[in-house]
Amino acid sequence: MPERLLVLDTAAVIAGLTPGLIKAEQVTVAEVLEEARDLCSKLELETAVSAGKVRIDEPTRASLAEVRNKVKATGDAVSKTDVKLLALALDLKERKAEIITDDYAIQNLATLLELPYRRVAMPGIKEVLRWEAVCPACGARYPPATARCLTCDSELRRKARR
């Protein structure tokens, strides 16, 4: 068995990663196959899974809860698939799993969760961001999950907190 363990994100395959050609153990979640909408990426993923080059796995509930808590705390905008992928990488952390992604939100959360990641085509994040909700009318600031201003009832906007 190869000593490297890679957790594959859809963004990596879309960016040009060919899963079947990598000499490493590869794993992902089933939802990644569903996210791959363009025919070429979908075929590459499905072929790699069928050939046994990529294994489909599910994260534990504990890891899902930890990632969801981190997402809530940071305000990162991620999909349910991204949460599951990060949780799977968290489950595999002791095996030194590395996430392969060009998705900046996943890279941001991976950094905060102390999970190694590698990019494919994009330059990668330059700094870790945490988000907040800001009222465009009165300037009040709230936790990232807040939708409306408690002072003036305006719809809040998501903004990076520095």
Side-chain angles (χ1 to χ4, degrees):
M1 180 178 346
E3 59 184 68
R4 289 193 311 161
L5 176 57
L6 307 177
V7 180
L8 304 180
D9 177 35
T10 312
V13 178
I14 291 170
L17 179 89
T18 306
L21 299 180
I22 300 172
K23 293 188 181 201
E25 183 180 355
Q26 301 164 70
V27 64
T28 194
V29 294
E31 290 80 0
V32 164
L33 295 172
E34 296 166 17
E35 270 190 355
R37 290 191 175 94
D38 73 278
L39 185 61
C40 195
S41 297
K42 191 167 191 72
L43 283 173
E44 284 180 359
L45 274 168
E46 288 175 351
T47 301
V49 169
S50 296
K53 303 275 185 181
V54 175
R55 184 178 84 248
I56 303 294
D57 208 345
E58 286 292 313
T60 62
R61 287 183 185 175
S63 290
L64 281 169
E66 186 174 341
V67 172
R68 285 182 185 126
N69 287 338
K70 187 63 76 175
V71 169
K72 187 176 179 182
T74 65
D76 277 295
V78 292
S79 69
K80 290 179 181 179
T81 303
D82 296 342
V83 170
K84 285 185 81 172
L85 193 78
L86 284 157
L88 180 60
L90 198 57
D91 285 336
L92 300 169
K93 187 175 184 174
E94 289 182 15
R95 294 191 53 204
K96 299 189 184 339
E98 184 175 35
I99 302 170
I100 307 299
T101 187
D102 275 355
D103 183 308
Y104 291 151
I106 290 177
Q107 292 175 12
N108 195 61
L109 285 161
T111 302
L112 292 168
L113 291 163
E114 298 179 356
L115 297 169
Y117 68 86
R118 184 182 319 164
R119 56 187 184 70
V120 178
M122 300 301 289
I125 63 171
K126 290 186 168 88
E127 64 180 300
V128 174
L129 297 178
R130 288 176 175 79
W131 301 91
E132 64 185 349
V134 178
C135 180
C138 70
R141 299 178 184 284
Y142 298 94
T146 312
R148 302 203 67 81
C149 179
L150 300 176
T151 305
C152 68
D153 200 40
S154 295
E155 188 174 326
L156 301 177
R157 296 198 179 133
R158 191 171 144 238
K159 183 178 177 183
R161 189 172 25 153
R162 304 265 182 219

